[in-house]
Amino acid sequence: GLGDVYKRQETELSGLLVNDSQELAGSITLLDLARNRSGIANYYQLKRLDPNADVSSITRQDPGWTFQDVLELTKSLPNELSKVSERASYSFTNYQILSEVLERVTGRDLGDLFAEYVFSPAAMSQSFLLSSQNQNKFSGLAPVLYGRKLYLGAARIASLRGEGGLISTNSDLIGFM
């Protein structure tokens, strides 16, 4: 289970998934996370953008978030345990945890892992994972829109990590397909 990976970080996960005062996070498997069957709440519901707001200003000013921020936000939300027995319940949190597990187990940066195991074998030379170390590349990309509004949130996208921080070109994606 997930508890095996986090033997030294048990308190870090405390309160992440609780049912009737019983801690359940240690019994979650990596497959549960990948299949969105963990029951862990989706932290991103607290990060969603209001499409009627000034998206450009909000995203430009957003400093992003850390894995610790994700855990704290998730712990403030109700669990999704009731949905687990019925069907998968998408949670961005699952992919944040998977990203963190990959980095901790391998001792390597997630962007480097994607480059070595996904982009390089697939000949995707123009693809990369946006991170706090390379988010300056964001301004050189084609404009990103949220609906019809300009999205300027490099730090937000870099915070997504393996849940959606991948940057690619059409030719790389077509080659991958």
Side-chain angles (χ1 to χ4, degrees), residues 103 107-119 129:
E103 288 188 337
R108 295 182 58 201
D109 178 76
L110 189 63
D112 293 341
L113 294 170
F114 271 88
E116 182 177 342
Y117 293 102
V118 179
F119 304 140
L129 182 69

Side-chain angles (χ1 to χ4, degrees), residues 67-99:
F67 179 66
Q68 295 308 317
D69 295 334
V70 167
L71 292 179
E72 292 309 311
L73 287 169
T74 304
K75 290 174 186 180
S76 73
L77 296 167
N79 297 325
E80 301 283 341
L81 284 170
S82 62
K83 296 181 181 179
V84 171
S85 61
E86 298 169 22
R87 65 191 189 300
S89 179
Y90 188 84
S91 174
F92 279 62
T93 310
N94 291 331
Y95 295 101
Q96 283 280 344
I97 294 170
L98 286 169
S99 297

Side-chain angles (χ1 to χ4, degrees), residues 14-25 79 81:
S14 179
L16 186 63
L17 189 64
V18 180
N19 187 29
D20 296 329
S21 301
Q22 182 181 5
E23 294 282 345
L24 301 175
N79 297 325
L81 284 170

